[in-house]
């Protein structure tokens, strides 16, 4: 599909900052924004981009509202802005 890491990270930021500060997004929101008809192959690359943003201190990954370890989490996740 040819989507760069930077494009994925930028789209995560864009979608997060278009919402309320306490809102979160699903990785599928990012994938669908980039490739509405072929979004499924982008799910893991989006999750990887979110992990990089966690490592950079920009976002948190949550599951059922709780912050989780991005390297060990399984199943559905959400991405939200870093909370202090």
């Amino acid at each position: 599909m040819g989507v760069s890491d930077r494009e994925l990270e930028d789209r995560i930021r864009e979608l997060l900052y278009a919402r309320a500060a306490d809102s979160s997004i699903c990785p599928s929101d990012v994938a669908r924004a980039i490739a509405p008809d072929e979004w499924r192959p982008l799910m893991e690359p989006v999750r990887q981009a979110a992990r990089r943003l966690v490592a950079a201190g920009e976002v948190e990954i949550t599951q059922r509202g709780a912050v989780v370890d991005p390297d060990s989490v399984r199943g559905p996740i959400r991405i939200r802005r870093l909370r202090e």
Side-chain angles (χ1 to χ4, degrees), residues 17-77:
Y17 284 94
R19 297 187 182 199
D22 60 347
S23 294
S24 64
I25 59 172
C26 179
S28 67
D29 296 332
V30 180
R32 289 172 200 245
I34 293 172
D37 296 326
E38 294 293 325
W39 60 272
R40 289 186 191 278
L42 289 176
M43 288 297 291
E44 186 53 33
V46 170
R47 289 171 70 104
Q48 291 171 356
R51 287 185 199 106
R52 288 191 299 275
L53 292 175
V54 167
E58 293 187 49
V59 303
E60 296 174 321
I61 292 178
T62 64
Q63 195 170 54
R64 296 183 194 98
V67 176
V68 294
D69 176 1
D71 295 323
S72 63
V73 67
R74 300 267 186 251
I77 62 168

Side-chain angles (χ1 to χ4, degrees), residues 9-25:
E9 293 165 8
D10 287 347
R11 191 58 61 102
I12 289 170
R13 289 183 194 103
E14 176 185 311
L15 291 174
L16 284 174
Y17 284 94
R19 297 187 182 199
D22 60 347
S23 294
S24 64
I25 59 172

